Amino acid sequence: MGLGILRDASMEHVPGTVNVLEDETSPIADRRAESKLKFDSSGPVPIILVPQPSDDPNDPLNWPLWKRDVILVVLSIVSVMAAACSPILAANTLTLSLYFRRDFTAISLLTGYHLCGVGVAGVLFVASARVWGKRHLYLLGTVLLIVSSAWAGASTSYKSLLWARIIQGVGVAPFEALVNASVGDLYFVHQRGVRMALSNLALFGSAFFTPILVGKITNTIGWQWTFYFIAIFAGLALPFVIMFVPETAYRRAAFLNTDLASTEDLLGAASHDRDSHLILTQTDRDPTPGSATEKSKPYDTHGLNGVEPKSKSEMKTPQRTVPEKDSFARRMLPFNGRKTDQSFWKLLLRPFPLFFHPAIFWACLIQGTLIGWTVLIGVVLAAIFLGPPLFFDEVKTGYMYTGAFVGALLGFILSGVLADWSARFMTARNRGVYEPEFRILLVIPQLICGCAGLYGFGITSADVARYGPYTPDVFFGLEVMGMVIGAVASALYIVDAHRDISVEAFTCLLMFKNLFSFGLTWSAYDWILESGIRRTFVAIGSVQLVVCLLSIPMYILGKKNRSFFHRHDILELLGLRRRSS
């Protein structure tokens, strides 16, 4: 048992387990000397690059780090606008109720159906991303954000606003579903932690800053301008998406995906190295013309992440040239070729059976439940503070999201600091062997912050005359802090442990959290009226405690789970994925 993780007796090397720290006395050093693995030697201890970059200049892993960071920053900025759409009505419940003459439940469903649009569109978009890449979806999503936000601002009827919100959800879907997967495309394992935290801050942090602004905007120039500003800023961002966000999906040779390799894959790669005299230079620069690397590099590609090996005969047939760098005009195209030869319709169905995959279902619970409880708090917040004894208006109600925004920032900082540090610490303790289950340790601060926030919010908001409005706000911030940490933990685990199905896994997370939140918008006010605020949130906090405790068996049995589902591929068994022998 390595640091509490049970070893698997069926496979010597389980996909997801990688050697990342260089030690000249360890077997890793021997493997490096034999296969000339590329590594990062910028630190005191060399780190083997996982996955291994190819010698193709169009491989995103070969791009300069600043270029990859620019891509992530642009995507994060647009994600801020996309994420702002979901809670944009949180502070305007009473205003819209009076404007359209509808009850609070009908107004909350403007958010509920928007979330349904996100969930349903996400399924379609992920299949499209598998086949044609992600760039066209980022472009489409940005355009839809512009159009739907302008439409929503101009709506004069409830029905018109409802449809605008649904279309707006479709525009949000690419950013909720694919940005985390793009982090997996762009970065090595040891670079992902803080960047995954940044992408999740963009997706979740802005969701809590939005109501702070919305209340003031509504009170000053009208609720319509909350949508118009989204349209304006998304319009300003569109040229940056066009110019600075190229396609990040890449058909990488299977043997280079060392984080996804099994024992048989490593043996095949070693044999392939001997047969083709493959040389992987110890540098991140493009190969020089006429080099051994350039002449002997074979390309075996399959799928969005290039993880499924072809036959042995194909593996032994080297391709003699490295592709040329794509021209600027080609990089500007929304498509640059298919990323897989598999059927779009099969890919469309692939996320659904993954709900029976323990790791994916665990991630759905860890991320989705706290997001759902946060939506629930947002829905009932207006009802709690608009009435007696506080009688808040939309401005003061919006300001109640200050604690949530600060909590999101603190969650980003804490998860960014802990994510990579804890992984490096545990890897060093594990003699240079990295296990994806090390990411699950982030659930510990999630449990502390999230559950304390839910219990505290329920107790204090039930008696605001005694505790005042600011104490519940502090606990709301704690709950959001736990939510951000949990989102980072689940996303990192999925990318590191199951990167070959990470896009489908993020689709499962997208569907679960949005449909779960949609269900809560139907029931929120009824729960509060029937059971009271205190009892409702104490029950919710207890449910969240149980969800977090599920991380214990996931940590202990995670490696065995990875081995089992590699040997019994649920997608392959259902005919939704083919794996060549």
Side-chain angles (χ1 to χ4, degrees):
M1 178 181 291
L3 300 181
I5 300 171
L6 290 181
R7 299 185 184 278
D8 181 69
S10 301
M11 299 180 68
E12 182 180 351
H13 182 85
V14 179
T17 298
V18 289
N19 296 309
V20 295
L21 297 182
E22 185 76 13
D23 181 355
E24 297 301 330
T25 65
S26 73
I28 309 173
D30 296 335
R31 188 157 60 89
R32 171 185 148 197
E34 179 182 344
S35 60
K36 307 301 183 186
L37 291 171
K38 298 180 184 178
F39 62 101
D40 178 1
S41 58
S42 59
V45 179
I47 299 175
I48 296 174
L49 297 179
V50 179
Q52 284 283 292
S54 68
D55 294 316
D56 183 353
N58 302 305
D59 184 346
L61 294 178
N62 284 326
W63 296 343
L65 184 60
W66 66 262
K67 179 178 179 179
R68 289 180 277 157
D69 285 341
V70 166
I71 295 170
L72 181 60
V73 167
V74 172
L75 289 177
S76 296
I77 290 172
V78 184
S79 295
V80 166
M81 297 170 226
C85 294
S86 297
I88 201 168
L89 304 180
N92 289 341
T93 303
L94 180 60
T95 301
L96 292 174
S97 180
L98 296 174
Y99 186 90
F100 292 114
R101 297 182 180 179
R102 300 285 184 131
D103 60 25
F104 279 10
T105 298
I107 300 304
S108 70
L109 288 176
L110 290 171
T111 299
Y113 281 111
H114 165 87
L115 296 175
C116 272
V118 177
V120 173
V123 180
L124 297 172
F125 288 166
V126 164
S128 181
R130 275 288 193 184
V131 178
W132 295 290
K134 303 180 181 74
R135 174 173 164 81
H136 71 284
L137 295 170
Y138 291 139
L139 294 171
L140 175 63
T142 307
V143 171
L144 287 179
L145 284 178
I146 298 168
V147 173
S148 61
S149 297
W151 174 8
S155 296
T156 56
S157 68
Y158 177 85
K159 185 176 181 180
S160 176
L161 180 58
L162 177 62
W163 279 105
R165 289 286 285 160
I166 293 172
I167 300 302
Q168 197 175 54
V170 175
V172 170
F175 300 97
E176 281 209 19
L178 299 174
V179 171
N180 282 336
S182 287
V183 173
D185 293 339
L186 291 167
Y187 298 100
F188 302 104
V189 165
H190 71 284
Q191 297 173 331
R192 291 175 188 162
V194 67
R195 292 168 175 88
M196 191 72 79
L198 173 63
S199 66
N200 279 279
L201 174 68
L203 286 169
F204 299 120
S206 62
F208 304 108
F209 187 64
T210 301
I212 300 173
L213 299 177
V214 164
K216 186 64 175 177
I217 293 171
T218 299
N219 184 262
T220 306
I221 55 179
W223 65 267
Q224 293 87 346
W225 275 95
T226 60
F227 290 104
Y228 289 148
F229 280 126
I230 295 289
I232 291 169
F233 288 116
L236 293 174
L238 180 60
F240 290 90
V241 178
I242 294 172
M243 298 293 293
F244 299 110
V245 182
E247 182 57 63
T248 64
Y250 180 75
R251 300 181 73 163
R252 184 172 292 105
F255 66 89
L256 294 173
N257 288 289
T258 51
D259 53 334
L260 303 176
S262 61
T263 304
E264 59 269 25
D265 295 331
L266 293 177
L267 292 174
S271 174
H272 175 58
D273 284 352
R274 290 191 299 270
D275 292 340
S276 62
H277 303 288
L278 174 67
I279 299 177
L280 294 175
T281 59
Q282 297 175 6
T283 176
D284 285 334
R285 295 175 297 177
D286 296 339
T288 57
S291 67
T293 303
E294 182 182 65
K295 291 180 179 179
S296 63
K297 181 76 171 94
Y299 284 90
D300 164 31
T301 58
H302 193 285
L304 187 60
N305 291 305
V307 297
E308 298 172 15
K310 291 188 177 181
S311 64
K312 293 180 181 178
S313 61
E314 291 177 288
M315 289 285 286
K316 294 181 181 180
T317 305
Q319 182 173 317
R320 289 309 211 184
T321 60
V322 172
E324 295 181 359
K325 184 177 181 180
D326 287 342
S327 66
F328 176 78
R330 179 172 171 78
R331 292 197 299 272
M332 291 299 99
L333 295 175
F335 305 93
N336 66 355
R338 288 180 67 98
K339 307 302 174 184
T340 180
D341 298 322
Q342 296 198 40
S343 164
F344 171 84
W345 301 107
K346 286 186 176 182
L347 292 171
L348 187 65
L349 296 174
R350 277 169 64 157
F352 297 99
L354 291 180
F355 281 110
F356 296 97
H357 192 302
I360 309 304
F361 188 63
W362 168 85
C364 287
L365 292 175
I366 287 294
Q367 182 177 125
T369 52
L370 262 180
I371 291 176
W373 309 140
T374 306
V375 171
L376 176 65
I377 292 176
V379 168
V380 303
L381 196 66
I384 294 172
F385 293 106
L386 285 171
L390 299 176
F391 295 103
F392 275 11
D393 59 13
E394 63 267 14
V395 178
K396 291 182 179 179
T397 303
Y399 289 161
M400 291 303 298
Y401 280 82
T402 303
F405 177 66
V406 172
L409 287 177
L410 293 176
F412 159 69
I413 294 170
L414 184 60
S415 59
V417 169
L418 291 180
D420 287 336
W421 175 84
S422 61
R424 287 195 298 268
F425 175 78
M426 296 293 285
T427 300
R429 291 283 304 274
N430 204 35
R431 302 180 64 185
V433 178
Y434 169 75
E435 302 284 3
E437 285 70 33
F438 297 158
R439 302 293 195 182
I440 297 177
L441 296 178
L442 283 174
V443 176
I444 297 173
Q446 180 201 18
L447 183 152
I448 296 170
C449 297
C451 293
L454 288 169
Y455 285 130
F457 181 84
I459 293 170
T460 57
S461 62
D463 192 0
V464 290
R466 176 183 177 184
Y467 295 102
Y470 302 113
T471 306
D473 198 30
V474 170
F475 284 111
F476 187 16
L478 268 179
E479 188 270 346
V480 171
M481 188 175 175
M483 184 201 74
V484 172
I485 296 171
V488 173
S490 58
L492 282 171
Y493 183 70
I494 290 300
V495 169
D496 290 357
H498 303 284
R499 190 166 58 84
D500 58 326
I501 54 170
S502 64
V503 177
E504 287 89 352
F506 285 124
T507 308
C508 293
L509 268 64
L510 181 75
M511 286 190 290
F512 181 87
K513 69 184 181 183
N514 284 290
L515 295 180
F516 180 65
S517 299
F518 172 65
L520 291 176
T521 62
W522 278 97
S523 308
Y525 289 110
D526 293 337
W527 285 1
I528 297 299
L529 291 175
E530 291 176 9
S531 302
I533 299 171
R534 183 184 180 118
R535 287 183 61 189
T536 298
F537 278 94
V538 167
I540 287 172
S542 301
V543 170
Q544 187 60 43
L545 177 63
V546 172
V547 167
C548 289
L549 291 177
L550 292 176
S551 299
I552 297 175
M554 191 69 245
Y555 178 86
I556 296 172
L557 301 172
K559 189 169 186 176
K560 284 184 171 290
N561 180 69
R562 285 185 279 127
S563 171
F564 180 85
F565 279 94
H566 177 79
R567 291 178 287 110
H568 306 87
D569 189 333
I570 188 172
L571 298 179
E572 187 178 359
L573 292 174
L574 294 173
L576 298 177
R577 174 161 68 175
R578 61 179 182 272
R579 178 174 296 172
S580 302
S581 58

